Amino acid sequence: MAIGSKNLSMDALDGYDNERLLEELKKAKAELFNLRFQSATGQLESHGRLKAVRRDIARIYTVLNERELDIRSNPAAAKEEDK
């Protein structure tokens, strides 16, 4: 079983266009900041969430980098080619 958000699996990330991936990346980074702040002040209840959010960020960066290197296809580009 993969650790992280269930809605940010590699299969789900494949279906997102680059703009949506950047939006998800921004949300995940904001959440990571808040979790680290909670951890520093002793208010964090679930330390496993830190690991899950870091992995989500890594997954998003992986998909973006693979698309940049043309290893993984971009669904937005595929729609433009079909037209």
Side-chain angles (χ1 to χ4, degrees):
M1 185 171 130
I3 296 175
S5 299
K6 293 180 181 178
N7 60 349
L8 288 182
S9 67
M10 288 302 283
D11 296 332
L13 292 175
D14 275 340
Y16 295 167
D17 61 345
N18 287 347
E19 294 169 3
R20 174 84 188 267
L21 284 174
L22 293 174
E23 179 184 318
E24 293 294 329
L25 180 63
K26 185 177 178 181
K27 287 181 193 177
K29 283 187 171 187
E31 182 179 0
L32 181 62
F33 174 79
N34 290 330
L35 289 172
R36 286 195 321 230
F37 192 85
Q38 290 176 5
S39 178
T41 59
Q43 297 175 352
L44 185 63
E45 295 178 8
S46 173
H47 294 283
R49 187 70 187 138
L50 279 168
K51 185 176 184 179
V53 172
R54 281 196 307 263
R55 285 187 180 202
D56 287 343
I57 291 171
R59 282 189 192 107
I60 293 170
Y61 275 130
T62 299
V63 171
L64 287 171
N65 287 332
E66 287 179 352
R67 285 182 182 174
E68 186 176 320
L69 297 172
D70 289 329
I71 297 172
R72 188 179 299 266
S73 64
N74 187 351
K79 288 180 184 178
E80 289 177 5
E81 290 176 0
D82 290 341
K83 290 183 180 181

